């Protein structure tokens, strides 16, 4: 009787110290090129997502934001993101990602390349050039001219961030040999495919790919769709590309498991209506994780 009483007292005592609850999973946002976290549009969007999902969120800045988004190589941007995330205690048990435009390539670099990082649960991509871009629309600046004529030179690759994901389908040998970011990110080099990148990408719970603009060329790159090697036609759907068929980064594996959402929305680049945000983004920021406080 006495031992039974002691066990009951112990269980009651433990229940006072161990209280199972659920807490919201935090999210981080990556902005696009020529933008920064302090700009009104980015800060307002981050706050909107936090308000609608009731989850804590913050924009993660790389360097000084605007200028570094143009001039810092994407490999370096991904490394900066990796080190920052590992120092954020609020992300230590896992987090979600929302990324805009070029910020998606930083986000994916964080997911695939970052060692000993906390897990990413859901990843929502808004207008991300995942399969690359074949052209830069409405751009006549000196930087754009360099990108169009000398994109696969070491100097441009080391000094202009978008050069890391320009993929000219009729110059695939140059792209695979000299492009310093996207071929690695997409595991495109036949003799250098890293299974760790695939394992990390397929660990996602959900991958939401939102397409809906004419800035990313082709816009289907936001879904991993692209042109065949050596030609600018026809445009291949994601499921027709080698990256999907041969499952270089695990896109096919995720899709087969029902974890990929291919979403198309109307409107200009990154101009997603609030009702579409509520429908396609917010549900993936509302997930909870169990926690025990004592």
């Amino acid at each position: 009787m006495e031992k039974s009483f002691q066990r009951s007292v112990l269980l009651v005592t433990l229940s006072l110290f161990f209280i199972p609850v659920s807490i919201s999973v935090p999210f981080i946002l990556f902005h696009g090129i020529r933008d920064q976290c302090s700009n009104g549009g980015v800060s307002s969007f981050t706050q909107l997502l936090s308000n609608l999902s009731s989850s804590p969120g913050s924009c993660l800045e790389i360097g000084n934001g605007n200028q570094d988004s143009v001039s810092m190589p994407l490999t370096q941007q991904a490394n900066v993101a990796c080190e920052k995330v590992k120092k954020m205690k609020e992300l230590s048990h896992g987090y979600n990602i929302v990324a805009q435009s070029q910020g998606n390539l930083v986000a994916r670099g964080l997911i695939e390349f970052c060692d000993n990082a906390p897990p990413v649960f859901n990843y929502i991509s808004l207008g991300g050039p995942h399969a690359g871009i074949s052209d830069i629309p409405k751009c006549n600046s000196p930087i754009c001219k360099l990108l169009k004529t000398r994109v696969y030179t070491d100097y441009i690759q080391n000094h202009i961030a978008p050069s890391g994901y320009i993929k000219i389908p009729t110059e695939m040998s140059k792209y695979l040999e000299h492009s310093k970011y996207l071929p690695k990110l997409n595991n495109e080099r036949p003799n250098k495919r890293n299974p760790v990148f695939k394992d990390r990408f397929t660990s996602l719970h959900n991958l939401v790919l939102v397409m809906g603009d004419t800035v990313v060329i082709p816009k289907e790159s936001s879904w991993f769709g692209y042109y065949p090697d050596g030609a600018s036609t026809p445009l291949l759907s994601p499921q027709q590309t080698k990256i999907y068929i041969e499952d270089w980064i695990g896109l096919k594996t995720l899709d087969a498991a029902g974890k990929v959402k291919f979403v198309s929305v109307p409107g200009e680049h990154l101009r997603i209506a609030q009702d579409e945000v509520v429908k396609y983004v917010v549900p993936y920021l509302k997930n909870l994780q169990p926690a025990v406080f004592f």
Side-chain angles (χ1 to χ4, degrees), residues 16-288:
L16 294 176
F17 288 93
F18 293 87
I19 307 172
V21 298
S22 292
I23 60 174
S24 296
V25 174
F27 71 88
I28 58 173
L29 181 139
F30 289 95
H31 62 71
I33 192 170
R34 292 197 180 279
D35 216 337
Q36 56 192 45
C37 291
S38 60
N39 282 353
V42 176
S43 59
S44 296
F45 186 58
T46 305
Q47 188 60 56
L48 174 68
L49 294 178
S50 186
N51 291 343
L52 292 174
S53 66
S54 298
S55 296
S58 60
C59 177
L60 193 146
E61 193 64 277
I62 307 296
N64 62 20
N66 191 323
Q67 183 57 43
D68 281 338
S69 72
V70 177
S71 61
M72 184 184 293
L74 288 170
T75 300
Q76 186 178 347
Q77 291 194 41
N79 289 339
V80 171
C82 172
E83 295 308 312
K84 283 196 169 188
V85 162
K86 288 193 289 187
K87 293 177 182 178
M88 297 172 69
K89 293 182 179 180
E90 65 271 27
L91 306 183
S92 60
H93 297 292
Y95 63 104
N96 299 319
I97 291 178
V98 179
Q100 300 174 312
S101 193
Q102 178 181 283
N104 281 284
L105 300 183
V106 181
R108 281 184 53 213
L110 170 61
I111 293 169
E112 293 182 34
F113 304 154
C114 191
D115 297 327
N116 303 312
V120 178
F121 300 136
N122 298 328
Y123 167 34
I124 303 99
S125 163
L126 305 176
H130 293 291
I133 58 173
S134 61
D135 198 5
I136 305 172
K138 301 177 183 178
C139 187
N140 298 309
S141 69
I143 288 181
C144 290
K145 291 178 181 178
L146 285 173
L147 284 171
K148 291 180 179 182
T149 59
R150 301 180 60 199
V151 63
Y152 297 133
T153 62
D154 286 344
Y155 181 83
I156 299 302
Q157 288 288 316
N158 292 333
H159 291 88
I160 304 179
S163 69
Y165 54 95
I166 292 178
K167 182 179 180 179
I168 302 172
T170 55
E171 297 184 14
M172 285 302 295
S173 60
K174 290 182 179 179
Y175 163 76
L176 289 174
E177 183 177 355
H178 298 292
S179 181
K180 295 188 176 182
Y181 193 72
L182 193 63
K184 177 181 177 181
L185 186 71
N186 283 346
N187 257 341
E188 293 181 270
R189 294 188 175 101
N191 299 321
K192 296 183 179 180
R193 292 194 180 119
N194 191 326
V196 173
F197 302 162
K198 179 177 178 179
D199 289 343
R200 289 172 177 170
F201 196 62
T202 53
S203 70
L204 291 169
H205 295 186
N206 290 285
L207 171 64
V208 184
L209 301 172
V210 180
M211 173 186 72
D213 63 76
T214 56
V215 171
V216 174
I217 298 177
K219 67 177 183 179
E220 287 79 7
S221 180
S222 297
W223 283 1
F224 287 89
Y226 211 68
Y227 307 108
D229 293 353
S232 56
T233 59
L235 182 63
L236 303 178
S237 70
Q239 292 78 11
Q240 293 174 313
T241 61
K242 288 183 180 179
I243 191 174
Y244 185 98
I245 294 171
E246 298 181 11
D247 212 19
W248 294 341
I249 61 168
L251 182 62
K252 182 178 180 180
T253 297
L254 284 169
D255 194 22
K259 296 180 179 182
V260 183
K261 282 69 182 175
F262 295 99
V263 178
S264 179
V265 298
E268 298 179 10
H269 189 54
L270 302 181
R271 297 292 180 89
I272 182 169
Q274 183 166 325
D275 61 337
E276 292 164 345
V277 172
V278 171
K279 183 176 181 180
Y280 300 121
V281 180
V282 172
Y284 301 98
L285 302 180
K286 281 187 171 182
N287 56 319
L288 301 176

